[in-house]
Amino acid sequence: MLNNGLQDVKQHILCYDISGEALEARLVFQHFIKCLKDCLYKHIEKELLGTQDGDIEYVLTVPAIWGDNAKMVMREAALKAGIKKDNLTIALEPEAASMYCQYVTKADTLSPTLGVVKPGTKFILIDLGGGTADITVHQKCEDNTLEEVLPASGESLGGKAVDDRFMNFLKELVGENVWEEFKKENMEDYTDITRSFETKKRTIKPDKSGSTRLPIPQALVKLSTKSHGVKSFKEVIQKNDTHRNNVDYISGRLVWNNDFFRGFFKKTIDEMVKYIDEIIRESEARDIRIFVLVGGFSECLLVPDAIKKHFGDVSVIIAEEAGLAVLKGAVFLATRQMLSCVDQ
């Protein structure tokens, strides 16, 4: 986790792990990129004999809200990780997502996501990742290329804001000391909670009544009951004045009423819709009726539902494999650049 946003990142900005330990962001980026690069190269060596490191083009994607300083830090980290300058491209995530939607075909229709968009039509592309919501406005031209109507912009309104709200609930439920000790001593169990919640983010429905259940590791149960001096996790909940009426514990699972569970998403989605509305009010974008969603958070069913309810009679298109749109678009972008160089 970064100690502040990366819109104007400085050289020595710090990242913090879940236990609060700090390390300079540039070093985190450098080691992370090197690990990915080394794993990739080992795999390619087995599959494509004779491949040299210089044969590989690398594309690093960054959010639209990142400034020049942030891009420079990322570029320097990549170079120190062993990527050659001539083999490196820094691309905006919305740019890569646009490439994916425009050119990469869907398996069922053999046409790209934007194949349904007629030439001359404007649309808004909303990339909802973990950290940010990046938005661009395009118009499809007669030759099926894309013209940028409004440049990429973004806000810190990604799925991580929802994760943070959920994790804060758990911390309030069991107590900060218990929660911090659990994360420090039981990393695998903590990761299981994050994965379970990620699944719930994709399956919670806008208007469905009933309840949502999520398994809680025994390590957290034992720590909580011991710390609070009780025999059961139900008693831990009952001792909590803030949340005793918001959640239950049944057969090893926390159980929430769906209305309350959707509350974890409400603030982020409301702010996201407000941000989209501000862009739509721009004179160049007022006639837009097509919304194209990419990014992992776009797979949350609450997101397109909120957009439709706010903007009325609009078409919301969720790209196939939306969570991989930036990744696959970046690969396509690099391929086009390589082919362009060959043609020249």
Side-chain angles (χ1 to χ4, degrees), residues 64-65 92 94-95 134-137 148 150-154 275:
I65 61 174
L92 292 179
E95 177 185 0
D134 294 331
I135 298 176
T136 51
V137 176
E148 186 179 82
L150 290 176
S153 61
Y275 178 57

Side-chain angles (χ1 to χ4, degrees), residues 144-161:
N144 284 327
T145 59
L146 298 181
E147 176 185 352
E148 186 179 82
V149 177
L150 290 176
S153 61
E155 290 287 346
S156 299
L157 296 171
K160 186 180 180 301

Side-chain angles (χ1 to χ4, degrees), residues 183-315:
K183 289 195 299 180
K184 183 177 180 180
E185 303 296 334
N186 301 274
M187 177 58 66
E188 187 173 342
D189 287 336
Y190 173 78
T191 303
D192 285 342
I193 292 178
T194 64
R195 288 172 178 165
S196 296
F197 183 64
E198 191 64 31
T199 299
K200 297 302 181 184
K201 283 165 65 177
R202 287 170 164 79
T203 56
I204 182 70
K205 296 182 179 179
D207 301 310
K208 185 178 179 180
S209 59
S211 61
T212 296
R213 299 168 179 248
L214 190 140
I216 291 298
Q218 279 301 303
L220 181 57
V221 172
K222 290 180 180 179
L223 279 173
S224 300
T225 53
K226 180 180 178 180
S227 175
H228 289 275
V230 296
K231 295 182 178 180
S232 70
F233 199 77
K234 270 184 172 289
E235 292 176 90
V236 174
I237 295 174
Q238 288 305 310
K239 288 182 65 177
N240 190 297
D241 293 336
T242 303
H243 294 304
R244 65 171 56 149
N245 296 321
N246 298 329
V247 65
D248 199 357
Y249 181 73
I250 302 174
S251 301
R253 288 172 167 78
L254 288 178
V255 183
W256 295 267
N257 175 279
N258 278 347
D259 286 336
F260 183 87
F261 193 80
R262 283 187 283 264
F264 294 128
F265 301 77
K266 181 173 172 49
K267 182 179 180 181
T268 299
I269 293 179
D270 284 351
E271 291 179 354
M272 180 195 307
V273 169
K274 180 182 178 182
Y275 178 57
I276 296 171
D277 190 57
E278 290 174 357
I279 293 177
I280 292 293
R281 291 178 184 275
E282 296 280 343
S283 59
E284 300 91 338
R286 287 178 182 169
D287 55 344
I288 288 178
R289 309 308 296 167
I290 297 177
F291 294 68
V292 180
L293 306 185
V294 300
F297 193 35
S298 69
E299 296 174 342
C300 172
L301 301 176
L302 304 182
V303 172
D305 179 73
I307 290 174
K308 290 178 180 178
K309 286 179 177 177
H310 182 84
F311 293 101
D313 185 22
V314 297
S315 175

Side-chain angles (χ1 to χ4, degrees), residues 105-137:
T105 58
K106 298 167 65 175
D108 55 348
T109 62
L110 298 181
S111 65
T113 299
L114 295 180
V116 298
V117 179
K118 297 179 180 179
T121 303
K122 294 178 185 178
F123 65 92
I124 185 168
L125 178 70
I126 307 169
D127 176 17
L128 303 174
T132 61
D134 294 331
I135 298 176
T136 51
V137 176

Side-chain angles (χ1 to χ4, degrees), residues 2-53:
L2 293 171
N3 65 339
N4 59 14
L6 277 169
Q7 294 93 324
D8 190 29
V9 62
K10 304 301 182 184
Q11 188 72 7
H12 301 293
I13 189 173
L14 297 177
C15 283
Y16 293 86
D17 67 13
I18 63 170
S19 65
E21 295 294 326
L23 189 66
E24 287 187 9
R26 61 186 179 86
L27 293 176
V28 175
F29 295 160
Q30 176 185 327
H31 291 302
F32 188 79
I33 293 169
K34 187 177 187 303
C35 179
L36 289 176
K37 176 180 176 292
D38 291 347
C39 290
L40 170 68
Y41 194 65
K42 288 179 181 179
H43 179 75
I44 289 178
E45 278 185 319
K46 294 178 182 179
E47 300 295 326
L48 299 170
L49 297 178
T51 301
Q52 301 297 315
D53 191 40

Side-chain angles (χ1 to χ4, degrees), residues 18 167-184 220 223-224 227-228 240:
I18 63 170
M167 292 302 176
N168 189 62
F169 173 91
L170 295 182
K171 181 172 69 175
E172 291 178 352
L173 184 66
V174 300
E176 183 173 358
N177 292 338
V178 171
W179 184 244
E180 295 303 324
E181 183 179 352
F182 168 71
K183 289 195 299 180
K184 183 177 180 180
L220 181 57
L223 279 173
S224 300
S227 175
H228 289 275
N240 190 297

